[in-house]
Every structure is written in C-alpha cells, then in structure tokens.
Amino acid sequence: GVSWRSGNEELGAARTAGLDLWRPVLATPGCAFINLQYGDVKAELDDFAGRRGIDILFDDSANPLKDMDTFAAQIAALDLVISIDNSTVHLSGALGVPTWTLLPTAPDWRWMLEREDSPWYPAMRLFRQRAAGNWTDVFTRVADSLGAFTSNTDR
C-alpha cells in the first residue's frame, strides 16, 4: 500500500512526494500496489497510469475519511505499507503492519533524529532525506529495499 501526500496545511508540502518520484518503487517487479492515499486521488492515479504505464489499485470502498474500520482492514491485509509521514503510517504502525515511513530532513519530533526505527511502532522502518527537499535518494533506497524484501518473502 502506498500514500504520498500529507494533509497537514503547515508542514504538508515538505512531507509530500508526488507520484512521479515513486516510479523506481512502483516499477519493482513482482509487486502490486494499492492506493492508501486519503482524499480524491482517482484522477491523479489515472493520469499517472496513463503517463507511466503503472497502475496503482484503487478500492473506493476503503475510504479512511468515511470508514476507518474498512480502511484498517485493508491495511491489515497488506504485506507492506510505504508512505510519507501522514496519518496512514500511524494506523499501519499501530496495526503492526510492516511500514516504511519516508521522512524529510526536518521531521516531526516523534521520529527523532538519525534513527531508522521507531520506538512507538516496532514494525516500522524510517527512510530519511539526506539533503533537504531531495526525495530521489530516498526512493532509490526504498526501491532497493523493496527488491530485497520481495526476494526474501514467499508471496
């Protein structure tokens, strides 16, 4: 499951990583991706699929803004959640689902500094920007890690 945008009006721009940045991750062989992004993103997903030839599955019955139980069940059924810092990672982490959280160089206090794990969510791994505003390196590391994750998992 993937989520790429923050709804936080104050800090959201620094946390958000547009879908085009996700291409190395979304092109990982043997993986299917499902949308966990809250809000109206159907047109964005269609545009991305048309331009990049990569589909992200969209289940409109699992809307976190209207039905948190169904959204939680959807997350619980996933092998892995990859998301920027938004509410999705907190729900996924609380459910114990393996979660990779993508962080800007100046993250919220709860992510601390220089850690690759979270004391709050044992199944979470943190991927941090090494330079302010540079998501490219983050997505390269995530894509490499996803390749290793899929090769070590019987799915």
Side-chain angles (χ1 to χ4, degrees):
V2 295
S3 179
W4 58 93
R5 189 180 323 136
S6 170
N8 184 305
E9 291 182 20
E10 182 182 341
L11 304 171
R15 294 178 182 173
T16 296
L19 280 177
D20 284 327
L21 291 166
W22 288 75
R23 205 172 72 136
V25 173
L26 299 172
T28 302
C31 292
F33 297 91
I34 189 161
N35 170 55
L36 299 177
Q37 182 60 56
Y38 45 83
D40 184 10
V41 297
K42 184 75 170 106
E44 188 177 359
L45 292 172
D46 290 344
D47 175 66
F48 180 77
R51 287 184 301 105
R52 299 295 187 186
I54 300 172
D55 288 318
I56 299 172
L57 303 171
F58 181 81
D59 178 4
D60 61 358
S61 71
N63 183 338
L65 300 176
K66 295 182 180 177
D67 183 357
M68 187 61 71
D69 290 338
T70 301
F71 187 59
Q74 180 186 50
I75 288 174
L78 298 173
D79 296 314
L80 175 66
V81 170
I82 306 172
S83 175
I84 55 89
D85 178 11
N86 64 16
S87 60
T88 300
V89 298
H90 295 285
L91 179 57
S92 179
L95 291 169
V97 173
T99 303
W100 295 355
T101 303
L102 316 181
L103 299 172
T105 53
D108 190 70
W109 66 268
R110 69 182 55 103
W111 305 121
M112 299 176 212
L113 299 174
E114 301 179 17
R115 290 184 71 133
E116 292 183 4
D117 66 339
S118 168
W120 325 118
Y121 307 118
M124 187 174 287
R125 182 174 173 191
L126 307 176
F127 290 83
R128 298 172 182 277
Q129 287 179 348
R130 293 180 177 154
N134 183 356
W135 286 111
T136 303
D137 177 62
V138 172
F139 284 102
T140 298
R141 286 182 280 132
V142 170
D144 291 346
S145 296
L146 184 57
F149 179 85
T150 59
S151 69
N152 290 327
T153 308
D154 293 326
R155 305 275 181 233

PDB file of all heavy atoms in Angstrom, residues 82-112:
ATOM      1  N   ILE A  82       4.086   1.652   2.426  1.00  0.00           N
ATOM      2  CA  ILE A  82       5.138   2.630   2.188  1.00  0.00           C
ATOM      3  C   ILE A  82       4.446   3.975   2.043  1.00  0.00           C
ATOM      4  O   ILE A  82       3.575   4.143   1.192  1.00  0.00           O
ATOM      5  CB  ILE A  82       5.946   2.307   0.922  1.00  0.00           C
ATOM      6  CG1 ILE A  82       6.486   0.879   0.959  1.00  0.00           C
ATOM      7  CG2 ILE A  82       7.083   3.322   0.747  1.00  0.00           C
ATOM      8  CD1 ILE A  82       7.139   0.428  -0.341  1.00  0.00           C
ATOM      9  N   SER A  83       4.830   4.930   2.875  1.00  0.00           N
ATOM     10  CA  SER A  83       4.122   6.201   2.887  1.00  0.00           C
ATOM     11  C   SER A  83       5.003   7.318   3.421  1.00  0.00           C
ATOM     12  O   SER A  83       5.908   7.071   4.219  1.00  0.00           O
ATOM     13  CB  SER A  83       2.868   6.096   3.760  1.00  0.00           C
ATOM     14  OG  SER A  83       2.211   7.335   3.881  1.00  0.00           O
ATOM     15  N   ILE A  84       4.680   8.527   3.009  1.00  0.00           N
ATOM     16  CA  ILE A  84       5.274   9.697   3.642  1.00  0.00           C
ATOM     17  C   ILE A  84       4.643   9.819   5.036  1.00  0.00           C
ATOM     18  O   ILE A  84       3.752   9.050   5.393  1.00  0.00           O
ATOM     19  CB  ILE A  84       5.060  10.972   2.781  1.00  0.00           C
ATOM     20  CG1 ILE A  84       3.578  11.226   2.450  1.00  0.00           C
ATOM     21  CG2 ILE A  84       5.832  10.844   1.483  1.00  0.00           C
ATOM     22  CD1 ILE A  84       2.863  12.037   3.426  1.00  0.00           C
ATOM     23  N   ASP A  85       5.094  10.774   5.796  1.00  0.00           N
ATOM     24  CA  ASP A  85       4.599  10.991   7.155  1.00  0.00           C
ATOM     25  C   ASP A  85       3.194  11.590   7.112  1.00  0.00           C
ATOM     26  O   ASP A  85       3.023  12.786   6.912  1.00  0.00           O
ATOM     27  CB  ASP A  85       5.564  11.924   7.890  1.00  0.00           C
ATOM     28  CG  ASP A  85       5.123  12.261   9.299  1.00  0.00           C
ATOM     29  OD1 ASP A  85       4.180  11.627   9.810  1.00  0.00           O
ATOM     30  OD2 ASP A  85       5.737  13.171   9.891  1.00  0.00           O
ATOM     31  N   ASN A  86       2.204  10.725   7.280  1.00  0.00           N
ATOM     32  CA  ASN A  86       0.811  11.170   7.406  1.00  0.00           C
ATOM     33  C   ASN A  86       0.082  10.190   8.318  1.00  0.00           C
ATOM     34  O   ASN A  86       0.696   9.282   8.884  1.00  0.00           O
ATOM     35  CB  ASN A  86       0.135  11.330   6.029  1.00  0.00           C
ATOM     36  CG  ASN A  86       0.005  10.044   5.256  1.00  0.00           C
ATOM     37  OD1 ASN A  86       0.131   8.955   5.789  1.00  0.00           O
ATOM     38  ND2 ASN A  86      -0.243  10.163   3.965  1.00  0.00           N
ATOM     39  N   SER A  87      -1.191  10.348   8.475  1.00  0.00           N
ATOM     40  CA  SER A  87      -1.939   9.507   9.414  1.00  0.00           C
ATOM     41  C   SER A  87      -1.924   8.026   9.033  1.00  0.00           C
ATOM     42  O   SER A  87      -2.063   7.158   9.900  1.00  0.00           O
ATOM     43  CB  SER A  87      -3.378  10.009   9.554  1.00  0.00           C
ATOM     44  OG  SER A  87      -4.039   9.978   8.301  1.00  0.00           O
ATOM     45  N   THR A  88      -1.726   7.723   7.765  1.00  0.00           N
ATOM     46  CA  THR A  88      -1.700   6.332   7.317  1.00  0.00           C
ATOM     47  C   THR A  88      -0.609   5.542   8.030  1.00  0.00           C
ATOM     48  O   THR A  88      -0.830   4.406   8.452  1.00  0.00           O
ATOM     49  CB  THR A  88      -1.521   6.270   5.793  1.00  0.00           C
ATOM     50  OG1 THR A  88      -2.614   6.945   5.173  1.00  0.00           O
ATOM     51  CG2 THR A  88      -1.463   4.841   5.290  1.00  0.00           C
ATOM     52  N   VAL A  89       0.576   6.131   8.199  1.00  0.00           N
ATOM     53  CA  VAL A  89       1.662   5.387   8.845  1.00  0.00           C
ATOM     54  C   VAL A  89       1.375   5.135  10.322  1.00  0.00           C
ATOM     55  O   VAL A  89       1.808   4.119  10.866  1.00  0.00           O
ATOM     56  CB  VAL A  89       3.043   6.064   8.663  1.00  0.00           C
ATOM     57  CG1 VAL A  89       3.424   6.137   7.205  1.00  0.00           C
ATOM     58  CG2 VAL A  89       3.132   7.407   9.327  1.00  0.00           C
ATOM     59  N   HIS A  90       0.647   6.019  10.947  1.00  0.00           N
ATOM     60  CA  HIS A  90       0.325   5.809  12.356  1.00  0.00           C
ATOM     61  C   HIS A  90      -0.678   4.662  12.512  1.00  0.00           C
ATOM     62  O   HIS A  90      -0.536   3.832  13.411  1.00  0.00           O
ATOM     63  CB  HIS A  90      -0.203   7.102  12.983  1.00  0.00           C
ATOM     64  CG  HIS A  90       0.836   8.165  13.023  1.00  0.00           C
ATOM     65  ND1 HIS A  90       1.873   8.164  13.924  1.00  0.00           N
ATOM     66  CD2 HIS A  90       1.019   9.265  12.242  1.00  0.00           C
ATOM     67  CE1 HIS A  90       2.648   9.209  13.713  1.00  0.00           C
ATOM     68  NE2 HIS A  90       2.147   9.897  12.696  1.00  0.00           N
ATOM     69  N   LEU A  91      -1.663   4.589  11.651  1.00  0.00           N
ATOM     70  CA  LEU A  91      -2.612   3.478  11.703  1.00  0.00           C
ATOM     71  C   LEU A  91      -1.917   2.169  11.353  1.00  0.00           C
ATOM     72  O   LEU A  91      -2.075   1.171  12.058  1.00  0.00           O
ATOM     73  CB  LEU A  91      -3.793   3.742  10.759  1.00  0.00           C
ATOM     74  CG  LEU A  91      -4.858   2.642  10.705  1.00  0.00           C
ATOM     75  CD1 LEU A  91      -5.433   2.357  12.093  1.00  0.00           C
ATOM     76  CD2 LEU A  91      -5.966   3.032   9.730  1.00  0.00           C
ATOM     77  N   SER A  92      -1.135   2.175  10.298  1.00  0.00           N
ATOM     78  CA  SER A  92      -0.412   0.980   9.887  1.00  0.00           C
ATOM     79  C   SER A  92       0.543   0.514  10.982  1.00  0.00           C
ATOM     80  O   SER A  92       0.604  -0.675  11.312  1.00  0.00           O
ATOM     81  CB  SER A  92       0.354   1.280   8.594  1.00  0.00           C
ATOM     82  OG  SER A  92       1.082   0.165   8.177  1.00  0.00           O
ATOM     83  N   GLY A  93       1.277   1.456  11.550  1.00  0.00           N
ATOM     84  CA  GLY A  93       2.187   1.116  12.640  1.00  0.00           C
ATOM     85  C   GLY A  93       1.459   0.569  13.848  1.00  0.00           C
ATOM     86  O   GLY A  93       1.897  -0.399  14.475  1.00  0.00           O
ATOM     87  N   ALA A  94       0.320   1.159  14.188  1.00  0.00           N
ATOM     88  CA  ALA A  94      -0.471   0.684  15.329  1.00  0.00           C
ATOM     89  C   ALA A  94      -1.029  -0.715  15.094  1.00  0.00           C
ATOM     90  O   ALA A  94      -1.190  -1.483  16.041  1.00  0.00           O
ATOM     91  CB  ALA A  94      -1.608   1.659  15.615  1.00  0.00           C
ATOM     92  N   LEU A  95      -1.287  -1.044  13.830  1.00  0.00           N
ATOM     93  CA  LEU A  95      -1.791  -2.383  13.488  1.00  0.00           C
ATOM     94  C   LEU A  95      -0.673  -3.421  13.421  1.00  0.00           C
ATOM     95  O   LEU A  95      -0.939  -4.607  13.292  1.00  0.00           O
ATOM     96  CB  LEU A  95      -2.530  -2.337  12.147  1.00  0.00           C
ATOM     97  CG  LEU A  95      -3.846  -1.578  12.142  1.00  0.00           C
ATOM     98  CD1 LEU A  95      -4.349  -1.381  10.709  1.00  0.00           C
ATOM     99  CD2 LEU A  95      -4.894  -2.304  12.988  1.00  0.00           C
ATOM    100  N   GLY A  96       0.576  -2.970  13.491  1.00  0.00           N
ATOM    101  CA  GLY A  96       1.712  -3.890  13.433  1.00  0.00           C
ATOM    102  C   GLY A  96       2.065  -4.341  12.032  1.00  0.00           C
ATOM    103  O   GLY A  96       2.822  -5.303  11.860  1.00  0.00           O
ATOM    104  N   VAL A  97       1.541  -3.669  11.024  1.00  0.00           N
ATOM    105  CA  VAL A  97       1.863  -3.999   9.638  1.00  0.00           C
ATOM    106  C   VAL A  97       3.248  -3.439   9.323  1.00  0.00           C
ATOM    107  O   VAL A  97       3.545  -2.299   9.711  1.00  0.00           O
ATOM    108  CB  VAL A  97       0.803  -3.386   8.687  1.00  0.00           C
ATOM    109  CG1 VAL A  97       1.186  -3.570   7.231  1.00  0.00           C
ATOM    110  CG2 VAL A  97      -0.559  -3.996   8.966  1.00  0.00           C
ATOM    111  N   PRO A  98       4.108  -4.191   8.652  1.00  0.00           N
ATOM    112  CA  PRO A  98       5.393  -3.616   8.251  1.00  0.00           C
ATOM    113  C   PRO A  98       5.166  -2.305   7.496  1.00  0.00           C
ATOM    114  O   PRO A  98       4.387  -2.255   6.541  1.00  0.00           O
ATOM    115  CB  PRO A  98       6.008  -4.684   7.346  1.00  0.00           C
ATOM    116  CG  PRO A  98       5.387  -5.963   7.824  1.00  0.00           C
ATOM    117  CD  PRO A  98       3.979  -5.581   8.222  1.00  0.00           C
ATOM    118  N   THR A  99       5.816  -1.243   7.955  1.00  0.00           N
ATOM    119  CA  THR A  99       5.586   0.098   7.423  1.00  0.00           C
ATOM    120  C   THR A  99       6.917   0.794   7.215  1.00  0.00           C
ATOM    121  O   THR A  99       7.758   0.804   8.109  1.00  0.00           O
ATOM    122  CB  THR A  99       4.733   0.922   8.418  1.00  0.00           C
ATOM    123  OG1 THR A  99       3.509   0.228   8.666  1.00  0.00           O
ATOM    124  CG2 THR A  99       4.435   2.306   7.873  1.00  0.00           C
ATOM    125  N   TRP A 100       7.075   1.350   6.018  1.00  0.00           N
ATOM    126  CA  TRP A 100       8.255   2.152   5.712  1.00  0.00           C
ATOM    127  C   TRP A 100       7.800   3.592   5.586  1.00  0.00           C
ATOM    128  O   TRP A 100       7.003   3.935   4.713  1.00  0.00           O
ATOM    129  CB  TRP A 100       8.914   1.688   4.432  1.00  0.00           C
ATOM    130  CG  TRP A 100       9.487   0.292   4.524  1.00  0.00           C
ATOM    131  CD1 TRP A 100       9.557  -0.512   5.623  1.00  0.00           C
ATOM    132  CD2 TRP A 100      10.052  -0.461   3.450  1.00  0.00           C
ATOM    133  NE1 TRP A 100      10.142  -1.707   5.313  1.00  0.00           N
ATOM    134  CE2 TRP A 100      10.455  -1.705   3.976  1.00  0.00           C
ATOM    135  CE3 TRP A 100      10.261  -0.199   2.105  1.00  0.00           C
ATOM    136  CZ2 TRP A 100      11.054  -2.686   3.198  1.00  0.00           C
ATOM    137  CZ3 TRP A 100      10.859  -1.170   1.320  1.00  0.00           C
ATOM    138  CH2 TRP A 100      11.258  -2.398   1.871  1.00  0.00           C
ATOM    139  N   THR A 101       8.298   4.441   6.465  1.00  0.00           N
ATOM    140  CA  THR A 101       7.899   5.842   6.506  1.00  0.00           C
ATOM    141  C   THR A 101       9.007   6.701   5.908  1.00  0.00           C
ATOM    142  O   THR A 101      10.168   6.604   6.317  1.00  0.00           O
ATOM    143  CB  THR A 101       7.611   6.269   7.954  1.00  0.00           C
ATOM    144  OG1 THR A 101       6.605   5.407   8.496  1.00  0.00           O
ATOM    145  CG2 THR A 101       7.140   7.705   8.019  1.00  0.00           C
ATOM    146  N   LEU A 102       8.619   7.552   4.957  1.00  0.00           N
ATOM    147  CA  LEU A 102       9.557   8.412   4.241  1.00  0.00           C
ATOM    148  C   LEU A 102       9.519   9.799   4.875  1.00  0.00           C
ATOM    149  O   LEU A 102       8.456  10.413   4.963  1.00  0.00           O
ATOM    150  CB  LEU A 102       9.178   8.475   2.762  1.00  0.00           C
ATOM    151  CG  LEU A 102       8.800   7.135   2.119  1.00  0.00           C
ATOM    152  CD1 LEU A 102       8.480   7.323   0.653  1.00  0.00           C
ATOM    153  CD2 LEU A 102       9.883   6.094   2.328  1.00  0.00           C
ATOM    154  N   LEU A 103      10.680  10.270   5.316  1.00  0.00           N
ATOM    155  CA  LEU A 103      10.742  11.495   6.112  1.00  0.00           C
ATOM    156  C   LEU A 103      11.605  12.571   5.479  1.00  0.00           C
ATOM    157  O   LEU A 103      12.661  12.272   4.910  1.00  0.00           O
ATOM    158  CB  LEU A 103      11.314  11.180   7.500  1.00  0.00           C
ATOM    159  CG  LEU A 103      10.532  10.200   8.358  1.00  0.00           C
ATOM    160  CD1 LEU A 103      11.332   9.843   9.603  1.00  0.00           C
ATOM    161  CD2 LEU A 103       9.180  10.781   8.728  1.00  0.00           C
ATOM    162  N   PRO A 104      11.190  13.836   5.632  1.00  0.00           N
ATOM    163  CA  PRO A 104      12.055  14.947   5.209  1.00  0.00           C
ATOM    164  C   PRO A 104      13.225  15.097   6.183  1.00  0.00           C
ATOM    165  O   PRO A 104      13.255  14.455   7.238  1.00  0.00           O
ATOM    166  CB  PRO A 104      11.120  16.155   5.265  1.00  0.00           C
ATOM    167  CG  PRO A 104      10.089  15.795   6.277  1.00  0.00           C
ATOM    168  CD  PRO A 104       9.924  14.299   6.198  1.00  0.00           C
ATOM    169  N   THR A 105      14.163  15.956   5.847  1.00  0.00           N
ATOM    170  CA  THR A 105      15.339  16.142   6.719  1.00  0.00           C
ATOM    171  C   THR A 105      14.972  16.709   8.083  1.00  0.00           C
ATOM    172  O   THR A 105      15.646  16.426   9.062  1.00  0.00           O
ATOM    173  CB  THR A 105      16.383  17.082   6.066  1.00  0.00           C
ATOM    174  OG1 THR A 105      15.728  18.286   5.689  1.00  0.00           O
ATOM    175  CG2 THR A 105      17.027  16.435   4.873  1.00  0.00           C
ATOM    176  N   ALA A 106      13.919  17.500   8.154  1.00  0.00           N
ATOM    177  CA  ALA A 106      13.464  18.056   9.431  1.00  0.00           C
ATOM    178  C   ALA A 106      12.100  17.452   9.751  1.00  0.00           C
ATOM    179  O   ALA A 106      11.064  18.084   9.542  1.00  0.00           O
ATOM    180  CB  ALA A 106      13.383  19.571   9.351  1.00  0.00           C
ATOM    181  N   PRO A 107      12.078  16.227  10.286  1.00  0.00           N
ATOM    182  CA  PRO A 107      10.811  15.560  10.541  1.00  0.00           C
ATOM    183  C   PRO A 107      10.155  16.046  11.833  1.00  0.00           C
ATOM    184  O   PRO A 107      10.765  16.756  12.632  1.00  0.00           O
ATOM    185  CB  PRO A 107      11.215  14.094  10.683  1.00  0.00           C
ATOM    186  CG  PRO A 107      12.582  14.163  11.275  1.00  0.00           C
ATOM    187  CD  PRO A 107      13.209  15.389  10.657  1.00  0.00           C
ATOM    188  N   ASP A 108       8.931  15.606  12.026  1.00  0.00           N
ATOM    189  CA  ASP A 108       8.223  15.868  13.267  1.00  0.00           C
ATOM    190  C   ASP A 108       9.011  15.244  14.424  1.00  0.00           C
ATOM    191  O   ASP A 108       9.712  14.238  14.247  1.00  0.00           O
ATOM    192  CB  ASP A 108       6.824  15.247  13.167  1.00  0.00           C
ATOM    193  CG  ASP A 108       5.921  15.661  14.292  1.00  0.00           C
ATOM    194  OD1 ASP A 108       5.518  16.835  14.323  1.00  0.00           O
ATOM    195  OD2 ASP A 108       5.633  14.807  15.146  1.00  0.00           O
ATOM    196  N   TRP A 109       8.873  15.783  15.606  1.00  0.00           N
ATOM    197  CA  TRP A 109       9.644  15.347  16.774  1.00  0.00           C
ATOM    198  C   TRP A 109       9.530  13.853  17.052  1.00  0.00           C
ATOM    199  O   TRP A 109      10.472  13.225  17.523  1.00  0.00           O
ATOM    200  CB  TRP A 109       9.217  16.132  18.018  1.00  0.00           C
ATOM    201  CG  TRP A 109       7.799  15.841  18.440  1.00  0.00           C
ATOM    202  CD1 TRP A 109       6.684  16.520  18.069  1.00  0.00           C
ATOM    203  CD2 TRP A 109       7.360  14.774  19.293  1.00  0.00           C
ATOM    204  NE1 TRP A 109       5.562  15.945  18.635  1.00  0.00           N
ATOM    205  CE2 TRP A 109       5.955  14.860  19.395  1.00  0.00           C
ATOM    206  CE3 TRP A 109       8.008  13.747  19.988  1.00  0.00           C
ATOM    207  CZ2 TRP A 109       5.196  13.971  20.147  1.00  0.00           C
ATOM    208  CZ3 TRP A 109       7.242  12.864  20.744  1.00  0.00           C
ATOM    209  CH2 TRP A 109       5.856  12.986  20.811  1.00  0.00           C
ATOM    210  N   ARG A 110       8.378  13.276  16.773  1.00  0.00           N
ATOM    211  CA  ARG A 110       8.165  11.867  17.139  1.00  0.00           C
ATOM    212  C   ARG A 110       9.066  10.900  16.391  1.00  0.00           C
ATOM    213  O   ARG A 110       9.244   9.762  16.802  1.00  0.00           O
ATOM    214  CB  ARG A 110       6.700  11.470  16.982  1.00  0.00           C
ATOM    215  CG  ARG A 110       6.222  11.412  15.560  1.00  0.00           C
ATOM    216  CD  ARG A 110       4.746  11.069  15.464  1.00  0.00           C
ATOM    217  NE  ARG A 110       3.935  11.954  16.224  1.00  0.00           N
ATOM    218  CZ  ARG A 110       3.197  12.948  15.730  1.00  0.00           C
ATOM    219  NH1 ARG A 110       3.150  13.141  14.442  1.00  0.00           N
ATOM    220  NH2 ARG A 110       2.491  13.713  16.506  1.00  0.00           N
ATOM    221  N   TRP A 111       9.647  11.361  15.278  1.00  0.00           N
ATOM    222  CA  TRP A 111      10.534  10.485  14.501  1.00  0.00           C
ATOM    223  C   TRP A 111      11.984  10.614  14.941  1.00  0.00           C
ATOM    224  O   TRP A 111      12.850   9.908  14.445  1.00  0.00           O
ATOM    225  CB  TRP A 111      10.395  10.782  13.014  1.00  0.00           C
ATOM    226  CG  TRP A 111       8.985  10.684  12.538  1.00  0.00           C
ATOM    227  CD1 TRP A 111       8.249  11.668  11.958  1.00  0.00           C
ATOM    228  CD2 TRP A 111       8.116   9.548  12.618  1.00  0.00           C
ATOM    229  NE1 TRP A 111       6.985  11.227  11.668  1.00  0.00           N
ATOM    230  CE2 TRP A 111       6.872   9.912  12.066  1.00  0.00           C
ATOM    231  CE3 TRP A 111       8.256   8.249  13.107  1.00  0.00           C
ATOM    232  CZ2 TRP A 111       5.794   9.043  11.989  1.00  0.00           C
ATOM    233  CZ3 TRP A 111       7.176   7.379  13.030  1.00  0.00           C
ATOM    234  CH2 TRP A 111       5.968   7.784  12.481  1.00  0.00           C
ATOM    235  N   MET A 112      12.225  11.537  15.873  1.00  0.00           N
ATOM    236  CA  MET A 112      13.571  11.768  16.404  1.00  0.00           C
ATOM    237  C   MET A 112      14.543  12.044  15.255  1.00  0.00           C
ATOM    238  O   MET A 112      14.121  12.354  14.151  1.00  0.00           O
ATOM    239  CB  MET A 112      13.995  10.606  17.278  1.00  0.00           C
ATOM    240  CG  MET A 112      13.059  10.439  18.467  1.00  0.00           C
ATOM    241  SD  MET A 112      13.503   9.015  19.421  1.00  0.00           S
ATOM    242  CE  MET A 112      11.894   8.536  19.990  1.00  0.00           C
TER     243      MET A 112
END
